[in-house]
């Protein structure tokens, strides 16, 4: 009975995602004001700064970086692509994998121009903004594949997707809380993705605080597990991670643009025990 309930909750989430619209999602979350590179109190520059710092502190290293639940976005690997020789992108939905493939293969029809993102991260790295073309080429070179994932499975990726030692680092942004029916499922999913990581490997986790829903497209209301900082820390601990740092961003009124009810964003840097 209990197992059936768990399965039903997860299945209901999968149904919600059938209406996910990558173009609308990108428009809602990855254009101004949430992605205003002229303001450092805008959400996206804050996330990029957290990722830049985490990837350049010197403790995160290895061969393979895996992004869990990439969605149609690339911002989360713009710093990591300079550190890791291989980057694997993953998502549950083919429409999102298709969006990513279009960019990687430099095809027409991408729903977002990532140039300002590439330029901004070059600036964070102390490079001239025109180096963005080199960064784009680097990213295209290191992305080895874009593959299906389901974080609710004990083994979220196909058996041959990773080397047997596991990934050296995972990054995951706004995925686990927005695909889980409740806190217990969020924690279980965290444990499942932990299984993809080598011992002592790093997890860089970004997610929503206090969010109960977001729009994945016009009229596509997707439920989210509302998390607080203490729950994030407890779930990490329970799933076999040691927290290195937790940073929190609080949304100002003008960042609340009617596409969700998020109140804050957390960034966690953790290490697998
Ligand atoms: N990482 C992107 C970002 O930072 O904007 C996208 C986050 S979006 C809120 C949540 C993503 O989780 C979607 O791309 C969706 O397709 C994916 N997803 C849905 N169900 C999933 C599942 N069971 N396992 C893994 N990812 C899932």
């Amino acid at each position: 009975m209990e197992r059936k309930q768990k399965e039903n909750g997860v299945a209901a989430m999968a149904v919600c995602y059938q209406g996910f619209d990558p173009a609308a999602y990108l428009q809602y979350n990855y254009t101004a004001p949430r992605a205003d590179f002229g303001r450092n109190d805008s959400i996206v520059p804050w996330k990029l700064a957290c990722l830049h710092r985490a990837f350049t502190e010197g403790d995160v290293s290895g061969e393979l970086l895996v992004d869990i639940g990439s969605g149609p976005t690339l911002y989360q690997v713009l710093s990591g692509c300079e550190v890791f020789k291989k980057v694997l992108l993953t998502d549950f939905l083919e429409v999102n994998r298709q969006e990513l493939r279009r960019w990687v293969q430099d095809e027409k029809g991408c729903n977002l121009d990532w140039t300002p993102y590439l330029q901004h991260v070059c600036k964070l790295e102390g490079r001239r903004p025109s180096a963005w073309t080199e960064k784009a080429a680097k990213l295209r070179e290191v992305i080895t594949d874009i593959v299906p994932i389901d974080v609710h499975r004990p083994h979220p990726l196909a058996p041959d997707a990773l080397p047997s030692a596991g990934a050296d680092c995972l990054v995951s942004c706004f995925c686990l809380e927005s695909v889980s029916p409740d806190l217990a499922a969020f924690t279980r999913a965290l444990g499942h993705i932990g299984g993809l990581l080598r011992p002592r490997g790093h997890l860089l986790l970004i997610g929503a605080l206090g969010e109960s829903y977001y729009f994945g497209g016009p009229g596509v209301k997707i439920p989210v597990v509302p998390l607080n900082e203490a729950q994030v820390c407890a779930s990490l601990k329970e799933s076999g991670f040691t927290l290195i740092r937790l940073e929190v961003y609080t949304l100002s009124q003008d960042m609340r643009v009617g596409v969700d009810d998020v109140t804050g964003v957390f960034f966690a840097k953790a290490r697998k025990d």
Side-chain angles (χ1 to χ4, degrees):
M1 177 61 188
E2 206 184 311
R3 196 173 128 225
K4 204 79 221 127
Q5 271 174 354
K6 282 182 195 166
E7 284 170 5
N8 288 346
V10 162
M13 290 303 303
V15 170
C16 292
Y17 273 94
Q18 282 169 11
F20 189 89
D21 174 348
Y25 177 76
L26 289 166
Q27 176 67 33
Y28 298 159
N29 294 290
Y30 295 100
T31 62
R34 290 191 167 182
D36 184 341
F37 296 100
R39 292 173 55 173
N40 50 15
D41 63 343
S42 170
I43 302 180
V44 166
W46 181 84
K47 291 191 279 182
L48 293 176
C50 288
L51 289 163
H52 167 71
R53 177 175 168 204
F55 278 113
T56 51
E57 279 172 319
D59 54 342
V60 175
S61 62
E63 278 269 310
L64 175 62
L65 169 66
V66 179
D67 177 29
I68 305 293
S70 305
T73 71
L74 289 158
Y75 71 91
Q76 63 279 19
V77 291
L78 297 183
S79 291
C81 73
E82 303 292 342
V83 178
F84 290 88
K85 288 196 193 81
K86 294 177 182 173
V87 175
L88 181 66
L89 303 181
T90 71
D91 200 73
F92 186 69
L93 296 177
E94 171 57 19
V95 280
N96 285 334
R97 299 195 298 269
Q98 217 167 29
E99 178 75 27
L100 296 171
R101 245 179 264 126
R102 258 198 297 272
W103 185 86
V104 171
Q105 291 164 5
D106 209 358
E107 287 171 11
K108 288 203 176 70
C110 289
N111 283 302
L112 192 79
D113 178 9
W114 292 101
T115 309
Y117 286 73
L118 290 155
Q119 289 172 330
H120 185 78
V121 178
C122 283
K123 208 167 126 191
L124 293 176
E125 290 169 356
R127 297 157 73 177
R128 62 196 195 290
S130 60
W132 74 269
T133 53
E134 291 154 32
K135 183 178 272 299
K138 178 71 173 265
L139 184 56
R140 289 188 168 107
E141 182 191 310
V142 298
I143 294 174
T144 52
D145 213 345
I146 302 165
V147 299
I149 188 162
D150 183 351
V151 296
H152 298 306
R153 294 178 186 267
H155 299 284
L157 293 173
D160 57 351
L162 291 187
S164 56
D168 297 294
C169 181
L170 302 180
V171 60
S172 186
C173 306
F174 302 100
C175 177
L176 304 186
E177 71 282 10
S178 48
V179 308
S180 299
D182 50 37
L183 181 61
F186 170 86
T187 307
R188 274 196 303 277
L190 201 49
H192 297 159
I193 68 166
L196 303 173
L197 191 58
R198 68 161 165 83
R200 314 286 292 166
H202 286 87
L203 168 68
L204 306 178
L205 189 68
I206 293 184
L209 292 170
E211 187 178 48
S212 70
Y213 73 89
Y214 78 99
F215 282 101
V220 184
K221 196 172 182 179
I222 300 178
V224 179
V225 184
L227 296 172
N228 61 40
E229 290 164 63
Q231 288 167 328
V232 173
C233 295
S235 290
L236 283 166
K237 196 170 174 194
E238 198 179 323
S239 311
F241 291 98
T242 296
L243 183 64
I244 298 171
R245 180 169 69 249
L246 187 81
E247 294 178 56
V248 171
Y249 170 96
T250 303
L251 270 81
S252 57
Q253 208 48 50
D254 63 333
M255 290 295 147
R256 301 180 190 205
V257 292
V259 298
D260 52 42
D261 63 349
V262 65
T263 60
V265 178
F266 69 88
F267 169 84
K269 183 175 187 179
R271 194 186 309 105
K272 183 169 165 174
D273 296 336

